[in-house]
Amino acid sequence: EIIARLRAELGEGCRVGAGTITSVALAEQAVSAGATVEAVSFFIGTHHEDLASAAPYRHALRETANVLAKLSTDGVDVPRVNIGGGFPGARRRFYRDHPHFFDRLNDAAHDMLPIGVRLLCEPGRYLAEPSMAMLTTVVADRIVAGHRMTHVDASGYSGLFETTFIDDGGGGLDVLADGPEGDQSVTQILGPIMDSFDVVKRNALLPPLHDGDALLLPNTGAYAFGYAARCEGVRQPHVVPLPENLDAALATRWSRR
């Protein structure tokens, strides 16, 4: 059995695959060689523009429907469509701001796909991302050449791979501060390696912090701990279950102050 991977014409947001004509030709060639086409699939990804409106999925589903129709005309009926994964994590603000996102996906699939075709997805990030949070402490919070810099002991090389390498500048990363109250200001959160990749989050808005204050980075379960590596003296983070009273643990057990 094979899966025909369609590359919808959506620019960089839609990952590898073949165009409509090539997908049909490859699928028919596979069938002629004795294979079965199990599904047609595509992948949109988390960071695509207009994701909230589901417009990229509608476009890809329309192309997928064309592939299914051409194959059906030639006697090849495909029972499934896999729309991939890359959905934002289940606890992101994205779903608070766009609560009908999955309804839009379902409606688009219902409108465009033939009756009886089963819809599949790969919700790895959606499930994994909220499963872990990164707790880090402030090493230094200083003004350097007129710019605020907050140095922490967490690193892109040790548990924050997605922030530094996949989501450059930590655009999708939330930061919760356990520091003192006060006016918030923009700061650059930097890891200990001190190279251009070890930037945890650019332009974070945080209150004044002191050395030893705790920062909690929620939604770091995807592409995080599994990619942690020991390098440049940075160790892998310890994994511990979150206590029932998180505020008390932050104040007593996990703060250096």
Side-chain angles (χ1 to χ4, degrees), residues 2 12 24 63 74 82 110-111 150-151 178 202 226 256:
I2 68 163
E12 296 181 357
V24 171
E63 288 196 33
D74 295 333
N82 186 336
H110 182 270
D111 292 342
T150 303
H151 296 267
D178 188 41
R202 301 182 191 276
R256 293 179 183 173

Side-chain angles (χ1 to χ4, degrees), residues 11-255:
E12 296 181 357
C14 198
R15 296 185 184 174
V16 296
T20 299
I21 296 175
T22 304
S23 293
V24 171
L26 289 173
E28 291 180 343
Q29 184 176 352
V31 170
S32 66
T36 300
V37 181
E38 178 185 351
V40 173
S41 71
F42 59 83
F43 187 96
I44 300 298
T46 303
H47 307 298
H48 201 286
E49 294 182 3
D50 299 325
L51 182 68
S53 68
Y57 286 92
R58 287 199 300 272
H59 181 91
L61 284 167
R62 190 175 297 112
E63 288 196 33
T64 301
N66 290 335
V67 169
L68 296 181
K70 292 179 185 297
L71 288 173
S72 181
T73 299
D74 295 333
V76 180
D77 292 321
V78 180
R80 303 174 187 86
V81 168
N82 186 336
I83 63 174
F87 308 116
R91 293 182 184 172
R92 280 206 195 185
R93 299 174 186 173
F94 177 87
Y95 299 106
R96 181 194 65 189
D97 298 336
H98 310 286
H100 302 296
F101 171 70
F102 285 113
D103 292 332
R104 295 188 183 107
L105 290 187
N106 188 62
D107 291 344
H110 182 270
D111 292 342
M112 297 178 190
L113 298 182
I115 296 175
V117 172
R118 186 180 179 188
L119 190 68
L120 306 176
C121 70
E122 302 168 19
R125 178 195 295 272
Y126 179 85
L127 298 174
E129 189 180 89
S131 67
M132 299 185 79
M134 174 73 75
L135 180 69
T136 183
T137 54
V138 175
V139 176
D141 190 35
R142 305 284 190 270
I143 303 297
V144 180
H147 300 280
R148 185 182 175 195
M149 305 286 182
T150 303
H151 296 267
V152 298
D153 63 359
S155 171
Y157 295 93
S158 185
L160 293 173
F161 174 86
E162 183 173 31
T163 295
T164 55
F165 290 89
I166 298 178
D167 184 11
D168 182 34
L173 182 68
D174 294 321
V175 183
L176 305 179
D178 188 41
E181 296 295 330
D183 295 334
Q184 294 183 330
S185 64
V186 171
T187 185
Q188 314 304 316
I189 303 179
L190 310 175
I193 303 299
M194 298 300 293
D195 66 16
S196 58
F197 289 108
D198 206 12
V199 178
V200 174
K201 187 172 180 67
R202 301 182 191 276
N203 302 320
L205 194 62
L206 290 174
L209 299 170
H210 294 83
D211 301 357
D213 280 342
L215 292 181
L216 186 68
L217 313 177
N219 299 323
T220 54
Y223 303 103
F225 182 77
Y227 281 87
R230 294 185 179 184
C231 69
E232 302 288 346
V234 175
R235 61 171 173 78
Q236 289 183 309
H238 296 296
V239 178
V240 297
L242 288 177
E244 185 173 335
N245 191 334
L246 182 59
D247 289 339
L250 287 171
T252 58
R253 290 166 52 190
W254 293 332
S255 179

